[in-house]
Amino acid sequence: MKQFGTIFKFELSSYFKNKIFVGVTILLVAVIAVVMFLPRFWGSEDGNVTEMTENAGNGEAQEETSGVSVEGMILFSAAGVENADVICQALDTAFSDYAVCMTEDGIETIKEKVASGEAECAFVMDSFMSYTYYVNNLSLYDSKTAIVDEVLEQMYTMNALTAGGISADEAKQIVSVQINHETESLGKDQMQNFFYTYIMIFALYMVILLYGQMVATNVATEKSSRAMELLITSARPVSMMFGKVVASCLAGFIQLLVVFGSSILFYNLNQSYWEGNMIVASIFDMPLYLLVYMLIFFVLGFFIYAFLYGAIGSTASKVEDINTSVMPLTLLFVVAFLVVMFSMQGDSVDSLLMRICSYVPFTSPMAMFTRIAMSTVPFYEIILSIIVLILSVLGVGVISAKIYRVGVLLYGTKPKLGSILKAVKKA
């Protein structure tokens, strides 16, 4: 235990003395602070704009009352179409952020105005049920045609009803009828939980890859400098491996605590400015029990991969060989991450594949946590997954320590898996 404590303290202090580690942490906190405080500056700017508008001169006031919206102007042409004025008024109401202006210009003139940016877009009607939409750059999220289609469909329905003898008021009530519904979720609301689940899974993914690579690099550095040969004679391999992994895990956890803790602090300082933003609110409304599960699966998942990264690092003769050596393990972890991400986006967090991954030690830290956050998982399944992970951590830790001990003597040619396993059995 004394050897473990000495190695643990040394490795942990090396992380805190690492300028890159400290610099990245400070940078992340600074970026989060800037993002969280941005609404304060936006809010003050909006206030200045409002004040300037209220104190504006007569010329500016006339421009505001001229009907031209801040968003831009929409041209409307309906030559020869019956009730064109009524349609134009309906579109003006539907596009409240724009100024809908009827024009008698020709098609080419309308195209020039849209292409030059003088008009946001244009609707040219050939008949009551047919029109052409002109826009310069069609956005992925352009929904203007859907709005116009809905307006025209309602007007057509009203005309058909009034033609059938129904009064205009009754037709308006029929067209504008609204369906009320309520949703009562007996389990989890996946939409509400999606964002913070995604952030937690992505944080776990980045920390394991980053610190696992650091463990492997540190071990390979000690081996290449022959320092490992001296350490292995004065300390037990199990103490050395567990000391390194626990220190890296604690360093990663502290970094996450600083980053997420500062996020919560900055959010609470600016909470009133983020009101109405459902995405941000859902992220910071994460239940406490999910944070506990996040901590459990983070620690156990980190141990699994950190032990393996350390064992692989001990088999590399040079630091330059680390990337090649750990590539299979990294690909395995990336595949596990992609399975979870695709399941989240495909609304299949309780699929058979995700259930299987919930009990496989290499995938369960992310798969089971995702299921807990976005689905209803029986408590015995959670306990079973955690027990499997704990036993796997102990088993992988002992095996990795043996590989670590054997790896001290492996120099020169890249060792094969078979020869490593034989040496581990003899150790």
Side-chain angles (χ1 to χ4, degrees):
M1 193 67 183
K2 184 178 179 180
Q3 294 176 351
F4 167 81
T6 303
I7 296 170
F8 170 77
K9 292 178 181 178
F10 174 79
E11 293 291 336
L12 186 61
S13 63
S14 66
Y15 280 105
F16 295 141
K17 293 177 182 178
N18 190 317
K19 294 181 180 179
I20 297 178
F21 176 85
V22 176
V24 169
T25 305
I26 295 175
L27 177 62
L28 290 175
V29 172
V31 170
I32 292 171
V34 171
V35 173
M36 289 290 102
F37 278 92
L38 271 179
R40 281 182 177 268
F41 302 111
W42 287 338
S44 62
E45 288 178 0
D46 292 342
N48 292 335
V49 171
T50 304
E51 184 178 354
M52 290 173 62
T53 304
E54 292 177 352
N55 297 329
N58 295 331
E60 294 179 359
Q62 290 177 359
E63 184 178 352
E64 292 239 350
T65 57
S66 64
V68 179
S69 176
V70 176
E71 294 291 339
M73 179 174 58
I74 296 178
L75 296 178
F76 175 72
S77 175
V81 178
E82 187 178 357
N83 296 327
D85 293 337
V86 178
I87 298 174
C88 185
Q89 292 177 3
L91 293 182
D92 188 48
T93 303
F95 294 104
S96 58
D97 294 335
Y98 296 87
V100 179
C101 302
M102 183 176 290
T103 178
E104 297 180 358
D105 294 334
I107 297 297
E108 295 301 323
T109 304
I110 293 176
K111 288 182 179 180
E112 290 177 1
K113 289 183 177 181
V114 173
S116 64
E118 182 179 347
E120 180 78 15
C121 59
F123 293 93
V124 178
M125 298 191 66
D126 304 318
S127 64
F128 189 84
M129 301 301 295
S130 176
Y131 67 88
T132 302
Y133 176 53
Y134 294 98
V135 62
N136 190 23
N137 295 309
L138 184 61
S139 170
L140 290 172
Y141 307 101
D142 193 332
S143 59
K144 293 184 179 65
T145 54
I147 295 175
V148 173
D149 291 347
E150 183 178 357
V151 170
L152 293 178
E153 287 173 2
Q154 289 184 358
M155 295 185 66
Y156 178 82
T157 304
M158 285 191 62
N159 292 338
L161 291 174
T162 53
I166 299 177
S167 66
D169 292 337
E170 291 176 340
K172 186 176 181 180
Q173 291 180 359
I174 294 174
V175 173
S176 61
V177 66
Q178 294 183 350
I179 307 299
N180 297 320
H181 75 276
E182 294 181 358
T183 301
E184 183 177 350
S185 177
L186 302 179
K188 302 288 181 63
D189 186 350
Q190 292 189 0
M191 180 59 67
Q192 180 181 359
N193 301 351
F194 177 85
F195 297 103
Y196 59 68
T197 304
Y198 181 87
I199 290 175
M200 292 299 178
I201 293 298
F202 191 75
L204 178 62
Y205 171 79
M206 294 301 298
V207 168
I208 288 180
L209 280 186
L210 176 62
Y211 284 93
Q213 188 82 15
M214 291 176 68
V215 170
T217 303
N218 291 339
V219 172
T221 302
E222 291 176 356
K223 181 178 178 180
S224 61
S225 64
R226 301 284 181 168
M228 187 188 295
E229 296 179 7
L230 299 176
L231 293 172
I232 207 71
T233 58
S234 57
R236 296 176 56 193
V238 175
S239 298
M240 294 184 63
M241 179 61 74
F242 275 81
K244 290 178 178 294
V245 171
V246 173
S248 61
C249 178
L250 183 58
F253 176 71
I254 291 175
Q255 189 177 50
L256 281 181
L257 186 63
V258 171
V259 172
F260 284 105
S262 61
S263 301
I264 296 174
L265 174 62
F266 297 145
Y267 172 73
N268 289 330
L269 292 176
N270 302 279
Q271 187 172 3
S272 60
Y273 293 90
W274 286 101
E275 290 180 355
N277 193 315
M278 299 302 296
I279 296 177
V280 176
S282 67
I283 293 174
F284 288 95
D285 287 343
M286 185 177 183
L288 179 61
Y289 79 93
L290 277 183
L291 288 174
V292 175
Y293 280 127
M294 168 66 185
L295 175 61
I296 294 173
F297 286 105
F298 166 79
V299 172
L300 295 177
F302 183 90
F303 279 161
I304 286 282
Y305 281 94
F307 279 132
L308 292 175
Y309 272 108
I312 294 174
S314 67
T315 63
S317 300
K318 298 180 296 184
V319 179
E320 292 79 7
D321 298 334
I322 285 295
N323 291 332
T324 304
S325 301
V326 301
M327 183 62 68
L329 181 61
T330 302
L331 290 177
L332 174 64
F333 186 62
V334 170
V335 169
F337 174 76
L338 292 177
V339 168
V340 173
M341 286 293 103
F342 286 136
S343 298
M344 288 177 59
Q345 297 177 6
D347 193 21
S348 56
V349 293
D350 274 329
S351 64
L352 178 60
L353 178 60
M354 283 290 286
R355 290 178 180 270
I356 295 174
C357 290
S358 298
Y359 302 102
V360 178
F362 302 110
T363 58
S364 60
M366 291 186 292
M368 181 55 81
F369 176 76
T370 301
R371 289 184 60 205
I372 294 173
M374 301 186 66
S375 179
T376 303
V377 183
F379 186 69
Y380 73 88
E381 291 189 15
I382 301 174
I383 296 299
L384 180 59
S385 177
I386 293 175
I387 292 174
V388 171
L389 260 178
I390 293 174
L391 295 177
S392 300
V393 167
L394 296 176
V396 170
V398 173
I399 295 174
S400 298
K402 291 183 178 181
I403 297 176
Y404 180 86
R405 181 179 180 182
V406 172
V408 178
L409 306 175
L410 298 176
Y411 289 95
T413 59
K414 184 178 180 180
K416 296 181 179 180
L417 180 61
S419 60
I420 294 176
L421 294 178
K422 289 180 181 179
V424 169
K425 289 181 180 180
K426 295 178 181 180

